[in-house]
Every structure is written in C-alpha cells, then in structure tokens.
Amino acid sequence: MASGSSRIPLTSTADFLACKFDYLIVGGGTAGLVVAARLSENPALTVGVLEAGPVAVGIEAIDVPGLYGQALGTDYDWNFETVPQRCLGGRTLAWPRGKVLGGTSALNFMTWNRASRDDYDAWRDLGNEGWGWDDLLPYFKKSESFHVPDEQNQKINSLYYDDQALGKSGPVQIHYASEYSASHVLWHETMKNLGIQTNKAHLSGSNMGAWTNLGSVDPTTGTRSYSTTAYYVPNASRPNLLLLTEAHVTKIILEQDDGEYAAKGVRFQRDGLSFSVSASREVIVSAGSVQSPQLLELSGIGDPDILSKAGISVKVRNPNVGENLQDHINDLKEDKSKADLARQQFNSSHTGPLTILPNSICYLPFSYIMSCDELHAVVEAISSTNPAFDPRQSIRQRRLDPSSSAKLGQIEFIFDLGNWNPYFKPAPSPDKKYATCLQILQYPFSRGSIHIASGDASNKPMIDPQYYSGVHGGSIDLSVMIHAARFAAYRISQTFPLAGIIRRRVFPPQSSPDDEDESFWRDWLTRTTITDWHPVGTCAMGGHKGMGSVGGGVVDHKLRVYGTKRLRVVDASVMPLQISAHLQATVYAIGEKGAAMILEDALLGN
C-alpha cells in the first residue's frame, strides 16, 4: 500500500482563509471529524476543520490491522511523554497521541467496546443531564455498523452479541475477526474453569466476564475503519466542509461580548507563518485530553497561577482546566520470510496473520482477585484519603462497596501471543514463542494534571499523571495491581487448558513462591508499569459543581466552556470519570451527541 490522498480534497491556506465559516473545529481527530460530518449535513452551515497532522490515507502501518502499534513513535504521533513519575522510580512514560488526520483513531489497537451502564449513569448522577447509559446508547449505535459473523466462526471463537444493542448503518465498520491467534480457542474454557462466565451481551450495559473482542475493521477491505475513512472521506466533496491539514492552532481568539468572553475564531500556524480565521457561530475544540486543556490555557482560560507563570493574561478563571487527569494503568515478531508471506496473503485476499488483533478479553471485579478482608482494607484506606468533599471521589469509593463492585469490571485482562512488554527483551530463538497477559486498572484513584509550561504553543505541555501517587489514594492503585498481577501469574496462567501451552514464566523471572512476596511484586510493578493510553477528564463536565474548585469542571452538560460564549470542547477530555472500557467507541458517541446538541442550539437560535 502506498501513501496517497487522492480521495482527500486538499485546501490551500488562501482558500481556507477566504471562506466565511459558521463553525471552526480545532482537531480533525476521532471526535472532531464526527462533529464536522454531522454539522455539514446541513448545507446552510459552513464548517472548517484545522488539523495539525498530515493526511495518511493508504499508509500500511495505519490501515493494516495486524500492524497495530507500528505508527506509534513516528511522524504521525505527537510523541508526548510524562514528566518523571516519582512512584515509578523516576521513569518517564511515552504518551502516544495521533498527529494525523483521524487523530488517535488512526493509531489505536482498534478495540471496540463499551463500559457498563453504571459508568455512564455516574456522569449523569454528577449533574450532567443527558449523559446516562440510556441517553448515550442511541449515539453509540449511530456511530457504528455491525457486521454479523458467520455461524461457524461464532461457534468456534465464542462470538456472542445482543443484536438490539448494536448499530447497523453507522459510519464506523465493526466486526468480529475471521481469524484468531492460536491461544484464543483456549480462552473462554480457561475462564470458565476459574469460575468466570462468558458474557454474551458485553456491549449491552455490562462488560463483566470473558468475551471475544470486536474491532473497528472494515470486513470488506480488511482495513482499519477510523474517523478519516468513516466520517471524512465519504463527505469530503461537500462544498460546505473545508479541511486544512498541517495547521497547528495556537490560540482561541476571545473577545468581550456583553460582559463575557466569546470565541470569535482561532490563530494557527502553517508553513512557518501565522494566520487568523473567524467563526460566526462557534469554535469547537476537539484536540484531545492532552491538547484541549493546553489550548484553553494558551487562550487565557485556566488557573491564574499557572497562566501568570506562563506569561498569559487571565480571561476566564477556572482552576479545573487541565486537572482531574485519569488514565488506565497497565503493566504489563521477526521472521522476514513469514512476514512477506503474510503481507502477500493480506494484499491478495485480506486474510491471514495481518488480520489478527488481540481478542481474548476479560473484565473482573476486585472480589475475584482479592479476599473480603483484603478488599475491606482497600476500602478503609480509600475512606481516609478524601480531605475535601468531591462527588467524583465519592463515586470512586462507592464502586468499592461489595454490593456495587461485584457487577463492575474493575480489572481488565488481555491474553495475546507475542511479547508486549517493552522492558523484556528475549534473545532471538526459533524454538521459543512468547505470550503476554496484560492487566489494566479501570478505575484508578491516581489523578494528575496537564498544564502548559510557557506561553509558547510549540512547547509540549507538562503531563503528570501521578501514577501510584497523589493525595487521592494513588498508592491504593499499586496495592490493587499487586493482587491483579498475582491473579494473572498464579491463576490465569496456571489454569487449563491455557496452562497446557505455557512452559514457564519469564518476566518477571520465575522464582520460588516464598520469594515472590508483596515486595517482589511491588518492585516489579514500579519498574514496569506503563499507561494504556486512555487519558480523560482534563476538561471535565462540571455537573452540579459547575466551576466549583472542588469537584468542579471546565464545561457544562452541553459541553460549553464555563465563563465563555460560542466555545465548546468535544472529545475525551470532557469525561468527568474514567470508564471501564477502551475509549474509542465512547469518544465517537461523545462526538455524535456533541454534534446533535450543537445542531439543536443552532436550530433554536441559541
């Protein structure tokens, strides 16, 4: 496959500046292109999209499912990293984010799932009207087009689904793969032998149990289905939709309007020059959980202390901008002749190894991985770490109650062939094959921040997730992860039939059980924990608290930035609480719902 943009009408800077826009969208990523497509369905509205990255249609590392991860660290990635993490031994972690049309939907691993009903209802319970499960389900379905697998595939690979919960005519193509890694056929039986049942409706409001993963892959072409191919390419010829790529927005233009600041347009840089462009109705920021708060701060919206240190005049005081950062915590091929054959097979028939994704999934409550006494100790520890009332923290604590936690997927396990751990480098050997069991903490108590260090938009923001640290109980996260690591090492990998293909554990190196005490696992997790790249919350919906300093937010339930007019944020950063799921499907639903609210306000003349 070769690079190409033949299906993307390229706009010049001059043509973009000459256009009179009703709406400007900052960021042509997962949510931004959803909003652009839906707004431009109305021919009376003119929509402009500014994307900092290039077009990458036809790039093999993005399009071919089995090459997932190869675009990370390339020019299609912002290549962010955290500040040194004190409780990870001073390590910095890479934070990949898509710098390409399609954003992170072009770089992710194509996992398509939803969180539990309780997760979205918690957003609503915080005072964000219209954001519960029942409210969001129509938008989940609107974004997706589910392809029914054949009966033999369903039977062999345990492919179950609730037909009524899935969309059939949305832009994003989703389906169960036709081929699986050799270990997948053992997954469900192994889980059943551990007392964990297969969830036959894992997209219907509960992700608990074991299931086979869906992927955002077009079964017709065998390629990744993402926001560029799903929402932009089919609508690229609309005369009222203009896209300007490789255009880095540096500031939102805010001007006084009846005593409030109103967004009038944006400033951006392209080809080494600076430009300004106006919007008569709204500016919509869809730059993601890292750069949406960065752009607000660069524009004068945020904590006065942070803005003043960066030399930026304060226009809207809001200490919540960039705070409330939550991320999933994760601990964690080369034979050229076989790779060439796999590529030939994919190019000729869209089959073979390059279609295979990690599909063996399980979500478990804490009660599966720790005793009642151990869970009670965690609850007691968390109860003492809430110095000021924060409704979000209250919900996190409520999730630990045995009556609630028993139905929530608090830890995710993924089993896949291959070495996923960046800290383990095996010696090449044709006689050895490796597998990895990933564990991912879904509701972390660790909370960090993302803030600017200067007023220069070319400088990367400071990302400080405070993994396993912070005043909110992050040390409890490490305690829970120790229990999860033990469950993976001593239960999952030692239960048949999966145990029948595992010779021994190589990382952490296996030793005698007497030596593998809590300090052994604590040290290993501190040295090897990484992120699962699911950051949320930095421009959170404020709900009942509004802009309140404790538990408050950055946007209201209609995603309008507090203290401003004509300015919204529509992306993962608006999520007030982390969810038990990979983010992709939820971000598409946020884009769909955000666009619907914008169109409703336009119709009402708001």
Side-chain angles (χ1 to χ4, degrees):
M1 289 177 143
S3 171
S5 58
S6 59
R7 291 179 291 171
I8 306 289
L10 299 179
T11 304
S12 69
T13 303
D15 287 344
F16 195 87
L17 294 173
C19 191
K20 296 186 182 298
F21 294 106
D22 294 294
Y23 295 94
L24 280 173
I25 299 170
V26 180
T30 311
L33 292 183
V34 177
V35 177
R38 295 307 185 191
L39 295 187
S40 61
E41 286 176 354
N42 184 340
L45 301 175
T46 304
V47 180
V49 180
L50 290 151
E51 165 55 42
V55 174
V57 173
I59 298 298
E60 196 174 64
I62 290 174
D63 285 356
V64 179
L67 298 181
Y68 59 86
Q70 287 198 6
L72 302 180
T74 69
D75 290 341
Y76 302 122
D77 184 351
W78 282 96
N79 291 300
F80 293 124
E81 65 178 15
T82 69
V83 301
Q85 295 297 286
R86 179 176 59 85
C87 291
L88 297 184
R91 289 185 292 128
T92 61
L93 301 187
W95 262 44
R97 297 283 93 192
K99 188 181 182 182
V100 60
L101 187 66
T104 304
S105 73
L107 304 188
N108 65 26
F109 291 7
M110 288 155 278
T111 299
W112 191 269
N113 68 341
R114 301 172 187 163
S116 71
R117 170 185 290 271
D118 300 67
D119 287 7
Y120 304 110
D121 287 351
W123 298 359
R124 179 203 62 203
D125 294 345
L126 288 170
N128 299 300
E129 180 184 350
W131 287 93
W133 167 267
D134 291 332
D135 305 302
L136 277 172
L137 183 57
Y139 297 107
F140 276 113
K141 296 171 69 173
K142 187 176 183 180
S143 71
E144 65 193 15
S145 185
F146 173 66
H147 298 262
V148 177
D150 66 67
E151 290 186 8
Q152 184 178 8
N153 193 9
Q154 291 183 46
K155 183 177 180 179
I156 294 173
N157 293 304
S158 301
L159 312 183
Y160 300 102
Y161 56 93
D162 175 3
D163 190 66
Q164 298 303 308
L166 290 160
K168 307 299 194 305
S169 58
V172 183
Q173 308 302 306
I174 60 171
H175 83 126
Y176 286 108
S178 299
E179 300 180 52
Y180 294 83
S181 63
S183 65
H184 180 70
V185 72
L186 310 176
W187 180 247
H188 289 268
E189 194 63 31
T190 299
M191 293 297 104
K192 287 176 183 177
N193 289 337
L194 284 168
I196 301 163
Q197 297 304 307
T198 294
N199 186 336
K200 296 185 177 182
H202 53 88
L203 292 171
S204 301
S206 172
N207 60 12
M208 272 281 294
W211 37 273
T212 303
N213 182 47
L214 274 163
S216 52
V217 176
D218 187 336
T220 303
T221 62
T223 58
R224 177 192 298 265
S225 180
Y226 66 114
S227 60
T228 300
T229 56
Y231 282 93
Y232 183 72
V233 170
N235 306 308
S237 61
R238 290 176 180 168
N240 63 328
L241 175 59
L242 270 72
L243 165 70
L244 188 64
T245 56
E246 300 182 77
H248 184 192
V249 175
T250 59
K251 193 173 186 178
I252 302 162
I253 299 170
L254 296 170
E255 297 177 2
Q256 283 281 353
D257 186 348
D258 292 332
E260 281 188 292
Y261 278 100
K264 301 291 187 178
V266 301
R267 293 184 183 143
F268 67 94
Q269 293 178 343
R270 192 169 194 258
D271 297 328
L273 301 174
S274 294
F275 306 94
S276 296
V277 61
S278 300
S280 63
R281 288 180 179 264
E282 290 188 24
V283 172
I284 298 142
V285 178
S286 294
S289 293
V290 173
Q291 288 160 295
S292 286
Q294 177 192 24
L295 184 57
L296 294 185
E297 289 184 338
L298 290 170
S299 306
I301 303 171
D303 187 323
D305 290 339
I306 291 170
L307 299 188
S308 62
K309 289 177 183 177
I312 294 175
S313 300
V314 179
K315 294 181 177 177
V316 178
R317 297 171 179 264
N318 190 337
N320 301 302
V321 174
E323 294 293 313
N324 191 45
L325 173 62
Q326 302 154 68
D327 186 24
H328 285 157
I329 301 171
N330 181 10
D331 82 337
L332 275 206
K333 302 173 169 182
E334 291 291 336
D335 184 321
K336 187 177 186 304
S337 62
K338 290 182 179 178
D340 289 344
L341 288 173
R343 184 168 276 101
Q344 291 172 18
Q345 184 177 357
F346 180 85
N347 290 338
S348 64
S349 63
H350 307 307
T351 62
L354 291 183
T355 67
I356 295 175
L357 294 171
N359 288 297
S360 304
I361 306 288
C362 180
Y363 283 80
L364 295 179
F366 288 154
S367 58
Y368 269 79
I369 66 170
M370 63 178 74
S371 68
C372 292
D373 289 343
E374 289 168 335
L375 181 56
H376 180 71
V378 170
V379 173
E380 288 294 311
I382 289 296
S383 298
S384 64
T385 62
N386 195 7
F389 179 72
D390 179 345
R392 294 177 303 218
Q393 189 78 336
S394 178
I395 288 173
R396 291 186 185 94
Q397 291 179 219
R398 186 180 73 199
R399 287 170 172 164
L400 294 176
D401 184 272
S403 62
S404 299
S405 63
K407 60 182 179 180
L408 295 175
Q410 294 166 317
I411 290 283
E412 178 188 10
F413 292 98
I414 304 175
F415 190 87
D416 193 43
L417 298 184
N419 171 34
W420 283 55
N421 198 305
Y423 299 102
F424 173 64
K425 304 296 182 185
S429 171
D431 301 322
K432 292 182 180 180
K433 302 294 182 183
Y434 295 89
T436 305
C437 189
L438 299 91
Q439 62 182 57
I440 306 160
L441 180 62
Q442 298 301 295
Y443 304 122
F445 281 87
S446 307
R447 274 186 286 164
S449 62
I450 296 176
H451 292 297
I452 56 174
S454 74
D456 186 346
S458 65
N459 290 339
K460 294 180 179 180
M462 296 185 300
I463 302 171
D464 186 8
Q466 296 193 36
Y467 295 124
Y468 297 151
S469 62
V471 299
H472 305 289
S475 60
I476 303 301
D477 293 343
L478 179 55
S479 176
V480 170
M481 289 288 275
I482 290 171
H483 288 287
R486 286 171 165 168
F487 187 85
Y490 305 141
R491 300 293 303 282
I492 294 177
S493 65
Q494 295 183 18
T495 298
F496 284 89
L498 198 59
I501 66 169
I502 298 174
R503 295 289 299 275
R504 64 185 176 91
R505 193 184 77 218
V506 295
F507 194 70
Q510 193 162 337
S511 57
S512 70
D514 292 339
D515 294 331
E516 295 185 0
D517 58 8
E518 182 171 323
S519 63
F520 169 87
W521 289 104
R522 183 181 298 273
D523 177 67
W524 183 71
L525 286 165
T526 299
R527 290 185 288 108
T528 62
T529 289
I530 60 174
T531 168
D532 205 36
W533 309 315
H534 294 160
V536 306
T538 49
C539 295
M541 290 185 282
H544 295 306
K545 285 285 184 175
M547 287 177 66
S549 59
V550 177
V554 178
V555 300
D556 66 10
H557 71 286
K558 300 194 81 171
L559 310 185
R560 299 171 296 202
V561 177
Y562 289 127
T564 71
K565 296 191 293 187
R566 297 169 43 174
L567 179 61
R568 300 193 207 221
V569 178
V570 185
D571 56 34
S573 71
V574 306
M575 296 165 57
L577 284 166
Q578 184 59 277
I579 59 173
S580 176
H582 296 246
L583 301 186
Q584 178 177 209
T586 299
V587 176
Y588 279 117
I590 289 171
E592 289 281 9
K593 183 172 175 62
M597 292 189 293
I598 294 167
L599 287 169
E600 180 184 33
D601 283 352
L603 182 65
L604 295 174
N606 293 342

